Amino acid sequence: MISSSDNRLLFILDLLPKEIIFTIFDFLWAHDILYSFLNISNYFNNILLTYQNYHVNFKSILKQQFDLVCRFIQPNQITSLVLSDSNETPSQSKTFLSLFPIEKFINLRAITLSDIENDCHSLFFNIRQLKYLNYFETDTLSHLWMIETISRLKQLIINKYADNDYNHESLLHSISFSHLRNLTLPYCSYVQLRQILSCASKLTSLNISLIISDCTGIDYFAEQHQETPLIVNHLTMSIQTFTWYVEYNTDDFILYTIPRFVPRTTKHSLLSILPHSTTLPVEQYSIYYDQINELELDSNDKSSYRYTNVQRLILSITKINENIIDLSKVEYLCVKSLSWPLKKLFQIIKTSMTSLYHLKIDFSFSMIQLSDNIYPLEQIRIIDLPQFSCSFKNDNIDLSSLFPCIERLTIGINSLHQMTDIIDRFMHLSSGSFHIMNDHTDINYILTETDTIYKWLIEKTNRLARNRSFTYRLDSRSDIWIHLWISSESTTPEKVLNKMLSGEQLMELRETNGQHNCSRCCSLQ
């Protein structure tokens, strides 16, 4: 902060031209922009309201961040949008598009749909009205009806084929490929590929898995000639090939070939290097191990090398030799060994795993031994306890005191009471997936109607009674799962809380900047 001539404090970033700030914003997600810059100054508030190129990514987003975006950003300010109805964010697309109908996103250029619930398809019917939309990404062919009439599509990505997608393959024939430059398909037949190549004259990038059942198909495809040759700059096909890259030793002035297919995931007991697979000398083999980012420690074998870049670690033994692994880079830890004393494990996490934020304890355990634990793990944001219901004498243990900053939780439980207790205790919890292993008789009465579940959750939990901004999904196809997406009860960051714009202030600013007011923007406040 610096002093101005009229005795007002001037925020130093206010000296930046808005064009530079707009350029910075172009590289950030919308929720990160709002979290970082909202209410730091009036100048920035005006910039946030006039910025017209927000990239909104709601995949795995915390409910609190989702609510903030919905309160502040208008649909005409959004140019790219990612929606996801995954277990972490159930009913997200329905919640968002009930506030802002799809046709209101008049400047939208790109949309990505992930795990969209089947009963939400009608909400996307007017997507065809978006005249600037040229990027469409999804995880099922069944969504292609949305873009049948969009002739200016430049990029189409189908990440995977869902169940029964074979019933929707004909939708590929209805898509306009005339402007398409980038295409990704999980798989296609040689007949489909031939049709695509004949229609997509501007294609420059193709990523496919080609299905050819016999040599006849290969011969038939090879005999076809493209009337207008394509200039494809990027081609990826699922053919098993070996590629290499070169390592240069500056001391010896020697080039070594190193297989690019060196494993990134391995078990400690299995990893070995075949001498014929590389010209690299034995003393340089550490280059191989530097490539590994996911490791299962399944033996105590001594090693002359050290894993330096492991980010995901699976423990199947009860001892960690820190001489063979750098624990400081581990972000995800899965503990499988039944013999691990949790207090010892927590101490290792606290002192050596400074980057760890995701913990999975994949065995039944007793937390009685942690009753005097002095190592609460504030760094853990995601925790998976699939066998918690099999653990004994844990009903009266407060998990939230051991993991006070949990935002995402997956847990097996014995009773609905355990679920409600966890919801009330974990104040930062945004996404919770509860696998109800027992108590099926008692739960049947709340499974009869959707409204009954909603009312029951409000009645039985203090937190959801106070703040009803939550969504849920009940999955009872085999086992019973309840997935919740909840607004955090934690304190909003001070710079936002103390200066948060009221609904009236927000509308006043929009009027000042010539923006249309929408009461729904403030409905979540």
Side-chain angles (χ1 to χ4, degrees):
M1 306 288 286
I2 59 177
S3 299
S4 62
S5 57
D6 57 354
N7 295 323
R8 289 185 298 107
L9 288 179
L10 181 65
F11 189 54
I12 192 67
L13 289 181
D14 287 354
L15 301 177
L16 289 175
K18 66 178 181 179
E19 291 79 11
I20 293 179
I21 298 173
F22 283 171
T23 302
I24 295 172
F25 285 1
D26 288 345
F27 294 91
L28 302 175
W29 293 120
H31 60 275
D32 291 328
I33 293 173
L34 295 181
Y35 182 85
S36 302
F37 298 100
L38 179 60
N39 293 309
I40 61 174
S41 72
N42 289 331
Y43 176 70
F44 263 85
N45 281 344
N46 278 280
I47 286 179
L48 292 172
L49 287 167
T50 56
Y51 181 58
Q52 297 292 314
N53 192 31
Y54 281 109
H55 303 292
V56 174
N57 185 354
F58 285 149
K59 189 176 179 64
S60 299
I61 196 171
L62 300 179
K63 186 62 165 59
Q64 186 178 11
Q65 296 171 337
F66 173 86
D67 292 344
L68 181 61
V69 172
C70 291
R71 281 198 298 267
F72 198 84
I73 297 178
Q74 293 287 292
N76 65 323
Q77 295 177 274
I78 297 174
T79 57
S80 72
L81 175 63
V82 179
L83 293 174
S84 173
D85 290 337
S86 70
N87 290 337
E88 288 187 318
T89 55
S91 299
Q92 180 193 96
S93 60
K94 184 183 298 183
T95 301
F96 187 65
L97 294 178
S98 65
L99 293 171
F100 309 107
I102 192 67
E103 63 270 17
K104 299 297 183 181
F105 295 84
I106 57 176
N107 292 314
L108 194 67
R109 287 163 170 75
I111 189 168
T112 299
L113 306 178
S114 177
D115 298 308
I116 300 300
E117 296 170 348
N118 291 330
D119 61 350
C120 294
H121 285 188
S122 61
L123 298 173
F124 294 93
F125 183 78
N126 290 330
I127 196 174
R128 306 168 184 180
Q129 299 179 16
L130 306 182
K131 61 181 181 179
Y132 296 117
L133 188 66
N134 58 45
Y135 176 104
F136 188 81
E137 181 175 352
T138 185
D139 51 13
T140 170
L141 284 177
S142 63
H143 290 162
L144 291 184
W145 65 268
M146 302 180 191
I147 55 172
E148 283 181 311
T149 60
I150 298 180
S151 60
R152 62 210 158 266
L153 198 67
K154 293 183 179 179
Q155 187 158 346
L156 174 60
I157 298 176
I158 312 295
N159 288 311
K160 62 182 179 181
Y161 275 8
D163 295 340
N164 299 321
D165 259 3
Y166 60 86
N167 292 325
H168 304 285
E169 288 186 353
S170 60
L171 289 174
L172 271 175
H173 304 306
S174 62
I175 302 300
S176 173
F177 293 99
S178 58
H179 290 84
L180 200 67
R181 296 183 179 276
N182 301 280
L183 175 64
T184 296
L185 293 175
Y187 63 82
C188 72
S189 66
Y190 66 89
V191 175
Q192 290 172 323
L193 179 58
R194 181 191 173 203
Q195 180 189 13
I196 290 170
L197 294 180
S198 65
C199 298
S201 59
K202 296 183 179 180
L203 195 67
T204 60
S205 177
L206 179 62
N207 189 336
I208 62 169
S209 293
L210 186 61
I211 298 176
I212 298 180
S213 57
D214 53 45
C215 293
T216 304
I218 297 177
D219 295 338
Y220 177 82
F221 184 74
E223 292 172 358
Q224 307 308 309
H225 299 284
Q226 190 77 11
E227 295 182 1
T228 305
L230 290 175
I231 304 176
V232 178
N233 299 322
H234 177 80
L235 174 63
T236 301
M237 300 181 71
S238 61
I239 300 175
Q240 296 297 321
T241 61
F242 296 133
T243 57
W244 302 70
Y245 73 93
V246 175
E247 177 77 11
Y248 178 61
N249 187 311
T250 57
D251 296 327
D252 300 330
F253 302 102
I254 298 176
L255 291 174
Y256 301 114
T257 58
I258 303 172
R260 192 59 179 175
F261 55 86
V262 62
R264 301 295 183 114
T265 301
T266 191
K267 294 184 177 182
H268 178 56
S269 62
L270 297 180
L271 185 61
S272 62
I273 300 174
L274 300 177
H276 67 269
S277 66
T278 181
T279 60
L280 198 67
V282 174
E283 61 269 17
Q284 295 288 327
Y285 277 12
S286 60
I287 296 174
Y288 273 85
Y289 309 115
D290 289 343
Q291 301 295 314
I292 294 171
N293 55 31
E294 181 172 340
L295 173 68
E296 180 175 353
L297 279 181
D298 58 343
S299 75
N300 289 312
D301 295 344
K302 293 183 178 180
S303 175
S304 60
Y305 48 83
R306 192 167 190 256
Y307 304 97
T308 59
N309 292 303
V310 173
Q311 296 176 330
R312 295 175 62 87
L313 177 62
I314 300 170
L315 292 180
S316 300
I317 55 176
T318 58
K319 182 180 179 180
I320 300 178
N321 183 352
E322 296 192 38
N323 292 322
I324 68 169
I325 182 171
D326 180 0
L327 295 176
S328 67
K329 295 182 180 179
V330 175
E331 299 176 352
Y332 166 86
L333 174 63
C334 175
V335 187
K336 290 186 173 182
S337 175
L338 296 173
S339 303
W340 259 105
L342 290 186
K343 193 167 185 177
K344 177 183 175 183
L345 174 66
F346 279 26
Q347 184 176 8
I348 293 174
I349 292 174
K350 192 77 172 179
T351 57
S352 301
M353 298 185 181
T354 54
S355 299
L356 186 70
Y357 68 90
H358 188 168
L359 174 63
K360 180 176 182 179
I361 302 177
D362 198 8
F363 59 87
S364 59
F365 58 92
S366 171
M367 293 180 60
I368 300 298
Q369 59 182 296
L370 294 175
S371 58
D372 60 343
N373 176 58
I374 59 173
Y375 304 109
L377 300 179
E378 296 91 347
Q379 70 202 77
I380 304 299
R381 296 294 191 272
I382 307 172
I383 190 165
D384 302 330
L385 303 173
Q387 298 192 49
F388 186 76
S389 63
C390 301
S391 306
F392 53 92
K393 297 182 179 179
N394 285 342
D395 285 349
N396 297 320
I397 300 296
D398 184 7
L399 276 172
S400 63
S401 64
L402 304 174
F403 307 103
C405 298
I406 292 298
E407 296 172 343
R408 309 176 199 277
L409 167 72
T410 301
I411 188 170
I413 56 177
N414 288 315
S415 66
L416 292 173
H417 170 73
Q418 281 185 326
M419 181 179 72
T420 57
D421 185 63
I422 288 171
I423 292 172
D424 280 338
R425 288 179 182 270
F426 282 96
M427 306 303 289
H428 298 269
L429 186 65
S430 177
S431 298
S433 290
F434 300 90
H435 187 192
I436 304 175
M437 311 290 285
N438 301 304
D439 203 20
H440 288 185
T441 302
D442 293 338
I443 199 176
N444 284 336
Y445 80 97
I446 71 164
L447 302 182
T448 54
E449 297 181 11
T450 301
D451 288 345
T452 305
I453 303 173
Y454 179 80
K455 294 175 181 177
W456 185 89
L457 287 168
I458 292 175
E459 178 184 344
K460 299 297 181 179
T461 61
N462 295 326
R463 179 176 171 186
L464 299 183
R466 290 192 300 267
N467 185 347
R468 302 185 182 187
S469 179
F470 70 93
T471 64
Y472 66 92
R473 177 190 297 125
L474 172 67
D475 185 353
S476 57
R477 288 171 293 183
S478 53
D479 294 334
I480 296 178
W481 284 85
I482 295 180
H483 306 286
L484 286 166
W485 190 33
I486 315 168
S487 291
S488 173
E489 285 225 320
S490 61
T491 304
T492 307
E494 184 177 355
K495 66 182 180 184
V496 177
L497 178 66
N498 291 344
K499 302 179 182 179
M500 177 64 74
L501 296 172
S502 67
E504 293 77 11
Q505 290 172 317
L506 193 57
M507 288 189 226
E508 182 179 348
L509 271 173
R510 287 205 171 101
E511 288 175 349
T512 302
N513 289 284
Q515 289 195 14
H516 172 67
N517 291 327
C518 178
S519 60
R520 285 175 298 194
C521 299
C522 303
S523 63
L524 296 177
Q525 290 193 24

